[in-house]
Amino acid sequence: MAERRCLIVGGSGYIGARLAEALSEQYNVVVTRRSASPVRDAWAKRAGIEVSEFDSARDAALSVSGDFDAVINLAMPGAAEAVRNADASIKAAASTGATLQLLQSGRTSRLIHFSSFHVYGGAGRQHYSEDDVPAPAHPYGHIHLECERRVLAQPGTLVVRPSNMVAAPAHADLGEQSKLLFLDLCRQAAAGALRLHNDGLSHRDFLPFDDVLAAVHCLLAAPLAGARLFNIARGQSQRLDEVARLIQAAAAAPIDLAFGDGQDAFRQPFTISIERMAALGWQPTASLADETRRIIAFFS
């Protein structure tokens, strides 16, 4: 085990747990969680990962000890949580301040903060670039944008705006993230039937976990004097009926696919600029179909 240390705030959740497992091959990884969970305890013990309690709505500072080569912040409120109670979500976003304390006190020299594609605002654009002026239309986007500004005001920080990240879960305690569209469809496929509740004509940009991991490795090595705000995405959106058929094809046995008549945002194809990440040597090459099969196998 290397002597390098990495703290992942929110690292026992859906994407964080997979990231913690992968980075534990090069780092001594510490993750935080909001509250006790037998499922997450068992996962951390099995993975050999240290866990620290931290609830940003309750705790002003992280209770971790020692210094870290890097800190990664994934502990931000979810979209549904932001809609239910925007004021509470703003308070929960205090994880940003707690991670900045580590940076300001010299306990780390690198903070990678995960923001959200939602800071760009509602649908309608054909192309999204880091140079665009953010125009969030959702409380979730407003909260993330405010946290971005706090983070980027400090040296030693990098901000990531991911599209829809998808991964086979590391454990079954997924919380509200279990309702994410891609996970829900894969769970349905594992159960033997598949229904998309809208008409399938909307668009999304889904990014498989291996590409997320490759992006994080690039950011861990990136110069802190250059660009500090990055999109990570496949770059080109896919229509949801095509994604549903990909999930249908990945199922272990033939299953039926049905569509509803609802509509949602992003009715037109769009692209996301990934040129800044490409300048760091990153290109998305992972197979969404392979990750889909892993997710379905998890739920099976």
Side-chain angles (χ1 to χ4, degrees):
M1 177 67 69
E3 292 300 320
R4 294 184 297 172
R5 300 182 77 216
C6 179
L7 170 66
I8 307 178
V9 182
S12 66
Y14 165 44
I15 296 294
R18 278 290 304 275
L19 184 60
E21 286 183 346
L23 292 182
S24 66
E25 297 179 7
Q26 293 90 30
Y27 292 85
N28 290 311
V29 174
V30 180
V31 302
T32 71
R33 66 179 182 191
R34 286 188 183 183
S35 57
S37 162
V39 170
R40 297 189 185 194
D41 284 345
W43 160 76
K45 183 177 181 180
R46 182 173 66 250
I49 290 170
E50 182 182 341
V51 178
S52 175
E53 302 288 340
F54 175 68
D55 183 344
S56 58
R58 177 195 66 214
D59 303 322
L62 291 150
S63 60
V64 293
S65 60
D67 297 338
F68 297 92
D69 294 271
V71 174
I72 301 172
N73 185 21
L74 291 165
M76 293 291 291
E81 189 177 356
V83 170
R84 281 197 308 270
N85 192 332
D87 290 340
S89 293
I90 291 170
K91 186 176 181 182
S95 62
T96 301
T99 55
L100 287 173
Q101 286 179 24
L102 296 180
L103 191 71
Q104 293 161 350
S105 64
R107 294 177 58 194
T108 188
S109 58
R110 182 177 300 259
L111 169 61
I112 301 172
H113 177 88
F114 272 72
S115 182
S116 169
F117 177 73
H118 283 271
V119 300
Y120 287 113
R125 304 184 195 181
Q126 294 181 329
H127 184 70
Y128 295 85
S129 164
E130 297 95 338
D131 293 325
D132 295 343
V133 176
H138 189 286
Y140 181 64
H142 283 287
I143 292 166
H144 274 279
L145 182 58
E146 178 57 31
C147 291
E148 278 189 13
R149 289 169 174 161
R150 291 182 63 191
V151 169
L152 290 172
Q154 299 295 323
T157 59
L158 302 169
V159 170
V160 185
R161 292 175 178 168
S163 62
N164 300 88
M165 301 181 288
V166 297
H171 56 67
D173 185 359
L174 300 174
E176 286 199 348
Q177 290 179 310
S178 65
K179 300 174 185 177
L180 292 172
L181 185 147
F182 202 95
L183 282 183
D184 179 60
L185 291 177
C186 289
R187 185 189 295 103
Q188 290 185 49
L194 186 57
R195 178 178 174 80
L196 186 63
H197 296 296
N198 62 47
D199 60 9
L201 301 182
S202 298
H203 292 255
R204 297 287 190 280
D205 183 311
F206 291 107
L207 185 68
F209 175 75
D210 284 347
D211 285 331
V212 177
L213 176 61
V216 169
H217 278 301
C218 285
L219 293 167
L220 286 168
L224 294 171
R228 294 168 56 207
L229 175 63
F230 301 90
N231 293 327
I232 59 169
R234 288 172 69 85
Q236 178 67 54
S237 67
Q238 292 177 275
R239 212 167 66 184
L240 287 182
D241 59 349
E242 298 171 351
V243 174
R245 291 188 176 94
L246 180 148
I247 294 172
Q248 181 187 31
I255 59 172
D256 292 330
L257 170 61
F259 295 92
D261 56 5
Q263 297 185 6
D264 61 9
F266 300 100
R267 301 296 287 179
Q268 301 298 322
F270 61 88
T271 59
I272 300 174
S273 172
I274 54 174
E275 293 179 4
R276 288 189 187 177
M277 282 299 304
L280 299 181
W282 180 79
Q283 286 292 338
T285 58
S287 166
L288 185 60
D290 287 348
E291 194 63 38
T292 301
R293 282 188 283 271
R294 287 190 281 267
I295 297 171
I296 293 173
F298 173 86
F299 287 121
S300 295

